[in-house]
């Protein structure tokens, strides 16, 4: 009778049995078909052999290298993801700051445009009024000051002159409230400024510096600080 011994080791079913020579091939084929694994033993026959110590060392080294590369890859993957997120955050922050700057520039530009539109909305209307103001000035300048101060002067002429003067004063006050101002550079003998004055003629006058405004042909006007009509003046030129 053939005795069979079954052993269970390392999760695998192993079979050990003493076999005569004529049964080795039969048992080997049967074990291969049934999935059983034979392990070599000095007292029993087996279809496989145990791995040598050299092979065990090679397999251990290969598995250690594989584990190191796997762990290194796992460590590098989070770092790469973190770098990508940091770049994305910096890009979004830059876009946000640029958007805020553009919006603030738009606000400032809009505020300036609104202020400009409000301050100079009446510029065309003001320019149309300048001729009327000039006519008031011409009418008042035609009456000599001596005829108004003498007792023999015409009373009606004085009343007319006073009425024109009052009308001009009220008109200029109304225009000043809306930003329109008149200036006469010859009153203070200002220096000629091409941004404010227009030279109508030049002449030689002893005792005055070159470039001094000594006569005003036509007074100038400003609207909220902007010159809408330069004053036409006479300028001193001694050289």
């Amino acid at each position: 009778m053939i005795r069979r011994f079954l052993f269970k080791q390392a999760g695998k079913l192993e079979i050990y049995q003493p076999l005569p020579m004529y049964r080795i091939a039969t048992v080997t084929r049967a074990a291969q078909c049934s999935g059983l694994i034979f392990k070599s033993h000095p007292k029993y026959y087996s279809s496989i052999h145990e791995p040598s110590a050299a092979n065990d060392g090679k397999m251990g080294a290969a598995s250690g290298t594989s584990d190191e590369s796997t762990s290194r890859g796992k460590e590098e993957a989070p770092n790469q993801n973190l770098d990508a997120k940091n770049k994305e955050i910096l890009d979004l922050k830059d876009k946000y700051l640029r958007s805020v700057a553009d919006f603030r520039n738009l606000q400032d530009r809009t505020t300036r445009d609104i202020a400009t539109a409000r301050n100079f909305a009446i510029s065309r209307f003001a320019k149309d009024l300048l001729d009327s103001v000039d006519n008031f000035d011409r009418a008042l300048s035609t009456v000599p000051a001596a005829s108004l101060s003498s007792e023999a002067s015409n009373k009606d002429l004085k009343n007319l002159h006073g009425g024109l003067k009052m009308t001009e004063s009220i008109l200029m006050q109304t225009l000043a409230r809306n930003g329109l101002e008149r200036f006469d550079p010859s009153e203070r003998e200002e220096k000629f400024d091409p941004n404010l004055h227009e030279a109508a003629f030049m002449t030689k006058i002893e005792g005055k510096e070159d470039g001094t405004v000594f006569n005003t042909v036509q007074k100038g006007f400003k609207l909220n600080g902007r010159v809408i009509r330069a004053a036409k003046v006479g300028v001193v030129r001694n050289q």
Side-chain angles (χ1 to χ4, degrees):
M1 180 183 294
I2 300 174
R3 292 181 299 174
R4 299 172 181 269
F5 302 94
L6 297 175
F7 301 92
K8 188 174 183 182
Q9 182 178 355
K12 297 182 180 179
L13 184 63
E14 301 178 356
I15 181 168
Y16 298 89
Q17 63 181 0
L19 295 176
M21 294 300 295
Y22 66 90
R23 296 292 301 276
I24 293 176
T26 304
V27 174
T28 302
R29 286 195 299 271
Q32 290 176 351
C33 294
S34 61
L36 298 178
I37 301 174
F38 291 90
K39 187 175 181 181
S40 63
H41 194 273
K43 295 183 180 181
Y44 303 99
Y45 295 97
S46 176
S47 62
I48 59 175
H49 299 281
E50 294 181 353
S52 62
N55 292 334
D56 290 342
K58 292 180 180 179
M59 293 176 63
S63 62
T65 305
S66 176
D67 294 340
E68 291 179 359
S69 61
T70 304
S71 62
R72 190 182 301 110
K74 291 181 179 180
E75 292 177 357
E76 291 178 355
N79 293 333
Q80 293 177 355
N81 294 335
L82 182 60
D83 293 339
K85 293 299 181 182
N86 289 335
K87 291 181 181 180
E88 184 178 0
I89 291 172
L90 292 176
D91 184 46
L92 293 175
K93 183 178 180 181
D94 181 68
K95 291 180 179 180
Y96 168 74
L97 293 177
R98 290 179 183 274
S99 300
V100 171
D102 292 340
F103 180 71
R104 289 179 178 175
N105 291 334
L106 178 62
Q107 282 183 323
D108 295 340
R109 187 164 54 251
T110 304
T111 302
R112 289 195 301 269
D113 293 341
I114 292 174
T116 301
R118 182 175 60 250
N119 293 334
F120 303 103
I122 63 170
S123 59
R124 183 174 297 178
F125 174 70
K127 288 180 180 179
D128 293 338
L129 283 178
L130 299 183
D131 292 336
S132 300
V133 177
D134 290 339
N135 289 333
F136 271 107
D137 194 26
R138 294 189 188 99
L140 293 173
S141 62
T142 55
V143 180
S147 62
L148 295 175
S149 61
S150 63
E151 296 180 356
S153 60
N154 192 346
K155 185 178 180 180
D156 295 333
L157 180 61
K158 287 184 179 181
N159 293 334
L160 178 60
H161 184 274
L164 289 175
K165 186 70 175 177
M166 187 179 297
T167 304
E168 184 196 28
S169 177
I170 294 174
L171 177 61
M172 294 307 302
Q173 290 176 3
T174 303
L175 296 177
R177 285 196 299 269
N178 291 275
L180 185 64
E181 299 178 355
R182 182 173 63 182
F183 63 95
D184 186 357
S186 64
E187 291 180 353
R188 295 179 294 179
E189 295 186 352
E190 300 176 1
K191 285 289 186 178
F192 179 78
D193 186 354
N195 297 319
L196 301 176
H197 311 142
E198 179 183 351
F201 62 94
M202 291 182 289
T203 186
K204 183 177 181 180
I205 299 178
E206 297 294 338
K208 292 187 178 182
E209 297 181 359
D210 290 349
T212 302
V213 176
F214 71 95
N215 181 264
T216 301
V217 179
Q218 189 180 52
K219 297 178 181 179
F221 285 88
K222 294 180 181 180
L223 180 61
N224 294 316
R226 179 188 294 180
V227 177
I228 61 174
R229 191 181 76 180
K232 294 182 179 180
V233 297
V235 184
V236 176
R237 184 177 182 183
N238 293 324
Q239 297 179 358

